[in-house]
Amino acid sequence: MPFLEYRGQLYPLDDGVILGRGTRCSLLLQDIDASRRHARVWCQGDKALFQDLGSRNGTCLNGRPLCSRMPTALSDGDVLTIGKDTIRFWQQMPDQDVDHTTVHTPAAALHLAGPVEQPSDTTLPPES
């Protein structure tokens, strides 16, 4: 199962993850440069996709700026940078020094976040 790692904690992508500073996000970012609803990561088939939700300050993937609102496939070990926060993508549970006891199940928070605008050329799983 794919995960995001942030500040030593793991966030499974089973139902997708909304990243941002807003209290309704399933992964709460600390950096002031993050938007309230900054980005989304979800699985589609055997791929994990990242999408900036039109944030003001943008997102970098492995040090390179991403185009806003364009879904981007993630690879194992990729690093997302939002402000000064870094989030690492893992295709499966990492074997490094991560607090494996803190695995978040963000599905409930994701439902509170409401619908996400989607580009018409991308099929996303329904948010239930």
Side-chain angles (χ1 to χ4, degrees):
M1 171 188 302
F3 286 85
L4 293 179
E5 176 191 346
Y6 175 63
R7 294 186 175 220
Q9 298 181 356
L10 300 175
Y11 297 80
L13 297 183
D14 50 353
D15 289 331
V17 174
I18 300 289
L19 298 86
R21 288 186 300 114
T23 57
R24 293 179 149 188
C25 292
S26 40
L27 193 159
L28 292 172
L29 298 172
Q30 302 297 313
D31 194 280
I32 192 75
D33 288 332
S35 296
R36 286 185 185 106
R37 286 176 44 93
H38 196 98
R40 181 176 186 205
V41 182
W42 73 98
C43 292
Q44 183 174 329
D46 62 346
K47 293 190 293 187
L49 299 171
F50 172 87
Q51 180 183 26
D52 188 296
L53 298 174
S55 67
R56 176 173 285 203
N57 294 312
T59 305
C60 290
L61 174 62
N62 299 324
R64 305 184 115 194
L66 291 174
C67 295
S68 184
R69 295 196 180 268
M70 287 296 300
T72 302
L74 296 175
S75 298
D76 195 47
D78 276 351
V79 176
L80 298 160
T81 306
I82 298 174
K84 294 177 184 164
D85 283 333
T86 57
I87 302 100
R88 186 171 299 269
F89 169 74
W90 297 106
Q91 198 66 295
Q92 55 189 338
M93 183 72 78
D95 291 329
Q96 60 187 44
D97 295 330
V98 176
D99 179 4
H100 297 312
T101 61
T102 309
V103 176
H104 296 266
T105 52
L110 184 62
H111 297 300
L112 295 174
V116 176
E117 290 181 37
Q118 304 167 18
S120 59
D121 61 339
T122 303
T123 305
L124 301 179
E127 293 184 18
S128 36

